[in-house]
Amino acid sequence: MKSRRTQAALGIVVGIAVTTAACTGGGSQTTQKPDKTAMFGSGSDISYAKYGSDYPSTTTKDVPGKCSYESISKRDYSDVTLKVIANAVPVMGEPAQLHAKQFHDITGAKVDVVNVPFGELYQKILTPLQAGQAAYDVMFYPSLWIGDMAPYLAPVPQDYLQTSGMKDVSKAFMDVATWNGTVVQYPVDGDRHYLKVRTDLLEDPKNQADYKAATGQTLEIPKTWEEYQRVATFLTGRDFPGGRKGYGSAEVTKRDDLMFSAFISRAAAYAKNADVKGGFFFDVETMKPLINTPGFVKALDMFKAAKSTWPPGGANFGLGDEILSFGGGQAAMSYSWDDAFIQAQQENSSIRNKVAAAQLPGSAEVWNRKTNSWDKPSTPNQAPYFTWGWTSAVAKSSKNQQAAFDFLCFFSNEANTSLDLTIGRFGVNPYRNSHFDAAFWEKQGWSTATAETYVKTFADMEKNTNRVFDLRVPGVNQYMSSLAAGVASALAGQKSSQQALDDVAKEWTDITTQVGKDKVQAAYRNVVKLENHVG
């Protein structure tokens, strides 16, 4: 996906100053200048439209409070330079650039944003931190890196934790921001994987009749991965509205572009047993990898079978490709992050309000590692996957912590977030309880039916007690790179599913030894607590 940067000036009405308390920082080593006159009145209209035609014309209200346009515009940071690192545009990199420009316009701060390709982001952030260098004040990165990043992060100050936006963050994503009882990451996103489907295709009378004749089943939103495969196979090659040939499934399959998360989504239903506690990726007591147990192997077999339902080039789809494939109407279903669904719901989308959200498909059987057998629950086993969530943090070594926290406070204020959520390429997905209100989305032009499936899916995931979180341990990049390589070898036909995952398990054991078993185990206990709704 290409960058859509603009240099337009801020085009929002300037308001009258009101008195407010000065923002308190988290250990800043710079001197805060006295507040200046506010540029915004209370409840001003906020829009990105003046920043370029690539942004929607939607207008929202500034919500009064510490992080509002009104309050932040009183800050005088004209002698401050903030250094920010973020992913390449558009996902998280573009909103970082946009809000940096706005922050400069209203506070005077110079905000230098460095956008780095995802494959380089981990080392670009961690290496200077480990060397004690203050390379960046603010960092945007995947929240699962917390195990490596936490020692170098400034705790979020209490006054920011008391803001209205922070208090509204859902429990799951406040847990994601917390390490050893301290909030060290600033929530700016809430990621999870869920199912996205084209309702116009499922409800089409001809499709329904043909599917019934071919399978004996009713064409509906899949409840299991086997049903997903059957529906995807049926829809592949059929004529979609608009005269194009359609495909059943768009999936993230590129080895170095988050494919391991797609695999975990498929594995969750087969390997996360609600009756078996003590770890999904490892046995938390022994730290023996579970990645090569039958549930994971079955999921990889199903992943391989899905290849016949992918669009041309689908065997090498990165996240951007999946977003455009489903969001652009090429594929009937997908199941990764929120972005493809939001892309489908853009104002100019041909499939707007012809889509629905649902829980990830489940499985009729789930592996029980205690009994070494398959359990067959009365209803399909489902395991929501809370994966990643882009997050942000302030470096402990930053000399501009107050300005840095104010920037994140502003970045994630209610007005900005409500607009960012509607721009699919931004990668900002629901993470506050207020985002689970259908009325919020109906105000964006969504149909009631689409909005209700969307918010119900998220709310049900928050309630589900059989859930999967990312690994979140030191060395996580090594574990996930190993998993991605193993899954890729099986998808390419170079190894059987079992052999590929056996090799991954051996590598994981070596990584654990290299990083330190006690260190990894202590961190993994926190992951297991999240899975079990503890804390």
Side-chain angles (χ1 to χ4, degrees):
M1 300 178 69
K2 65 181 181 180
S3 169
R4 295 176 170 88
R5 303 313 311 143
T6 63
Q7 298 295 325
L10 188 66
I12 307 170
V13 178
V14 175
I16 308 246
V18 297
T19 302
T20 189
C23 181
T24 58
S28 171
Q29 299 178 38
T30 58
T31 302
Q32 171 64 39
K33 288 184 176 182
D35 282 352
K36 56 185 177 62
T37 301
M39 297 174 62
F40 299 85
S42 180
S44 293
D45 287 338
I46 304 298
S47 170
Y48 298 162
K50 293 289 181 74
Y51 281 87
S53 59
D54 283 343
Y55 297 114
S57 58
T58 309
T59 298
T60 191
K61 294 289 185 182
D62 192 27
V63 176
K66 180 182 182 66
C67 303
S68 66
Y69 277 77
E70 178 190 14
S71 294
I72 295 298
S73 70
K74 295 178 182 180
R75 305 289 173 252
D76 184 353
Y77 288 129
S78 55
D79 59 351
V80 171
T81 297
L82 287 178
K83 296 179 181 178
V84 178
I85 186 169
N87 189 46
V89 296
V91 179
M92 197 51 62
E94 188 173 354
Q97 289 192 3
L98 172 64
H99 297 318
K101 170 67 170 140
Q102 294 172 315
F103 193 76
H104 164 74
D105 289 345
I106 67 176
T107 70
K110 181 180 180 182
V111 187
D112 294 332
V113 179
V114 175
N115 293 106
V116 177
F118 178 77
E120 302 174 18
L121 188 61
Y122 178 83
Q123 287 303 141
K124 292 287 188 182
I125 294 176
L126 190 58
T127 298
L129 289 175
Q130 291 174 329
Q133 299 171 357
Y136 303 103
D137 301 286
V138 175
M139 301 156 294
F140 291 90
Y141 60 89
S143 62
L144 79 166
W145 294 350
I146 191 171
D148 288 317
M149 302 295 177
Y152 310 103
L153 306 181
V156 178
Q158 188 64 30
D159 52 340
Y160 293 89
L161 295 176
Q162 295 303 312
T163 61
S164 57
M166 192 71 82
K167 287 183 176 181
D168 193 28
V169 174
S170 76
K171 184 180 185 306
F173 289 104
M174 282 306 299
D175 288 342
V176 166
T178 302
W179 189 253
N180 289 334
T182 300
V183 179
V184 294
Q185 296 184 148
Y186 209 106
V188 293
D189 174 40
D191 280 356
R192 74 281 283 163
H193 278 192
Y194 65 95
L195 178 60
K196 309 159 187 70
V197 300
R198 287 273 303 274
T199 53
D200 60 331
L201 298 176
L202 299 187
E203 294 169 359
D204 178 78
K206 179 170 174 50
N207 285 344
Q208 290 180 335
D210 290 352
Y211 186 78
K212 185 75 170 181
T215 68
Q217 306 292 321
T218 300
L219 184 58
E220 59 186 3
I221 295 175
K223 294 182 177 63
T224 67
W225 283 110
E226 285 75 13
E227 291 177 10
Y228 184 96
Q229 178 69 18
R230 189 161 58 239
V231 172
T233 300
F234 169 76
L235 290 173
T236 297
R238 291 183 73 85
D239 291 330
F240 282 14
R244 66 162 65 172
K245 287 290 184 185
Y247 298 89
S249 179
E251 311 185 35
V252 179
T253 58
K254 188 175 182 179
R255 170 179 165 175
D256 297 323
D257 194 348
L258 311 175
M259 175 263 280
F260 59 83
S261 287
F263 171 64
I264 294 168
S265 267
R266 283 181 167 272
Y270 297 104
K272 182 63 172 69
N273 193 317
D275 296 327
V276 180
K277 306 299 183 183
F280 173 73
F281 295 105
F282 295 92
D283 180 323
V284 72
E285 298 305 325
T286 66
M287 291 307 291
K288 178 181 178 180
L290 303 174
I291 199 70
N292 60 335
T293 52
F296 286 94
V297 175
K298 173 69 171 178
L300 187 46
D301 285 340
M302 293 297 295
F303 204 4
K304 290 192 295 185
K307 292 170 67 174
S308 63
T309 71
W310 297 343
N316 197 39
F317 267 16
L319 176 58
D321 302 305
E322 183 256 353
I323 291 170
L324 291 177
S325 183
F326 177 82
Q330 180 188 40
M333 299 185 292
S334 71
Y335 60 86
S336 78
W337 289 271
D338 206 35
D339 312 290
F341 196 86
I342 300 299
Q343 189 69 28
Q345 285 296 98
Q346 297 298 292
E347 291 180 1
N348 61 351
S349 170
S350 64
I351 60 171
R352 193 181 201 205
N353 292 323
K354 298 176 183 177
V355 294
Q359 296 266 355
L360 284 174
S363 172
E365 57 181 11
V366 56
W367 183 249
N368 187 323
R369 62 184 171 87
K370 297 296 187 183
T371 63
N372 286 319
S373 62
W374 290 96
D375 290 344
K376 300 182 185 298
S378 57
T379 58
N381 181 65
Q382 284 187 313
Y385 178 26
F386 289 85
T387 173
W388 291 46
W390 289 98
T391 194
S392 62
V394 172
K396 193 181 293 183
S397 58
S398 169
K399 292 180 169 30
N400 301 297
Q401 286 188 24
Q402 179 167 330
F405 277 114
D406 269 355
F407 173 67
L408 293 179
C409 179
F410 171 75
F411 181 107
S412 61
N413 70 28
E414 288 91 337
N416 284 339
T417 301
S418 68
L419 296 174
D420 291 351
L421 286 168
T422 67
I423 304 173
R425 66 185 186 271
F426 271 21
V428 176
N429 306 148
Y431 63 100
R432 289 178 174 142
N433 292 313
S434 57
H435 302 160
F436 304 155
D437 181 0
F440 175 91
W441 298 100
E442 289 174 33
K443 290 178 182 177
Q444 318 305 323
W446 291 25
S447 70
T448 298
T450 296
E452 287 182 349
T453 67
Y454 185 72
V455 300
K456 183 179 187 304
T457 295
F458 291 175
D460 287 349
M461 289 180 70
E462 290 277 337
K463 298 173 189 174
N464 196 314
T465 57
N466 186 43
R467 56 192 191 168
V468 171
F469 283 82
D470 282 311
L471 194 49
R472 289 167 54 91
V473 298
V476 64
N477 251 29
Q478 297 176 63
Y479 290 109
M480 292 300 102
S481 293
S482 170
L483 178 59
V487 172
S489 70
L491 291 178
Q494 297 167 349
K495 298 178 182 178
S496 69
S497 298
Q498 186 69 67
Q499 183 60 59
L501 294 180
D502 283 346
D503 290 347
V504 172
K506 292 175 184 176
E507 290 176 0
W508 278 24
T509 298
D510 291 342
I511 294 168
T512 300
T513 300
Q514 175 190 346
V515 176
K517 179 181 175 182
D518 291 345
K519 185 177 179 180
V520 176
Q521 186 177 40
Y524 190 56
R525 290 189 187 281
N526 290 326
V527 179
V528 173
K529 286 180 180 179
L530 291 181
E531 291 176 357
N532 296 339
H533 269 265
V534 176

